[in-house]
Amino acid sequence: MTFRVILRKDVIYKNNTSPLCLLFFHDNRKKSVGLGVSVVRSCWDAQAQKVTDDCPDRDDIQFQITAKIKEYEKKIKKLEALEIPVTFEALFETIGKRMDCTVGDYFRQIIDRLEKVEKYGSASKHKVTLALMSQFRSVNMRFDELDLTCLREFEIFLSQKGNVNNSCNYAAFQY
């Protein structure tokens, strides 16, 4: 999946600005997502995909563009790390939605999905991580309660069990 920032030339607001969008491309399909920002056409550099230096509020507008790009890049990396195909459906389905399941349920869903596509090696890594998390703390906590502090404590737990740094970091920060 690829994307770029575009200026919608087909839309012109009363203040003579046009909206900026992220245009995603995947499998000969495209999808546009508004950035909530509009600029005067002369203030947009289509080649560089950013506002020109002489644009009023340049830094603020560019910050908003960059923040939205990073949000989608993070989502794409997360899908890839979970070995979920990066599709429009997967990318746009959960943005802004809360995961309403437990850590254990989530891991079991991932394990089932991996086994169905015959990725047994990846499934076994998830099973080991789930078993270790079960020893560390109840996996019945809600997925959205899993925060950085909890993951750091899990890393310490893994270190105390004799795991080396690579093993701890992989298991603790992959999720």
Side-chain angles (χ1 to χ4, degrees), residues 17-91:
T17 62
S18 294
L20 293 173
C21 297
L22 277 176
L23 190 58
F24 291 86
F25 302 93
H26 183 67
D27 289 341
N28 295 323
R29 293 172 45 203
K30 61 184 176 178
K31 179 171 176 65
S32 175
V33 175
L35 295 175
V37 178
S38 62
V39 296
V40 176
R41 286 184 184 199
S42 61
C43 291
W44 181 247
D45 182 348
Q47 195 73 8
Q49 298 182 42
K50 59 183 178 180
V51 290
T52 59
D53 292 337
D54 62 342
C55 179
D57 298 326
R58 177 194 178 280
D59 292 337
D60 183 47
I61 293 169
Q62 195 60 50
F63 176 80
Q64 290 179 53
I65 294 168
T66 303
K68 193 59 99 168
I69 288 172
K70 286 183 180 180
E71 176 185 336
Y72 282 104
E73 286 174 339
K74 181 178 176 182
K75 176 72 173 169
I76 289 169
K77 286 179 183 176
K78 185 176 181 181
L79 290 170
E80 289 170 345
L82 294 172
E83 297 181 359
I84 297 171
V86 180
T87 63
F88 288 149
E89 293 75 21
L91 183 62

Side-chain angles (χ1 to χ4, degrees), residues 82 84 106-115 126:
L82 294 172
I84 297 171
Y106 182 75
F107 267 88
R108 284 185 275 283
Q109 288 172 17
I110 297 295
I111 292 165
D112 289 344
R113 183 172 34 239
L114 289 170
E115 287 177 342
H126 285 76

Side-chain angles (χ1 to χ4, degrees), residues 101-105 108 130 133-134 137-143 145:
C101 66
T102 67
V103 172
D105 291 340
R108 284 185 275 283
L130 177 59
M133 287 194 83
S134 297
R137 194 175 279 174
S138 171
V139 291
N140 290 329
M141 67 185 207
R142 289 172 38 96
F143 192 84
E145 294 172 358

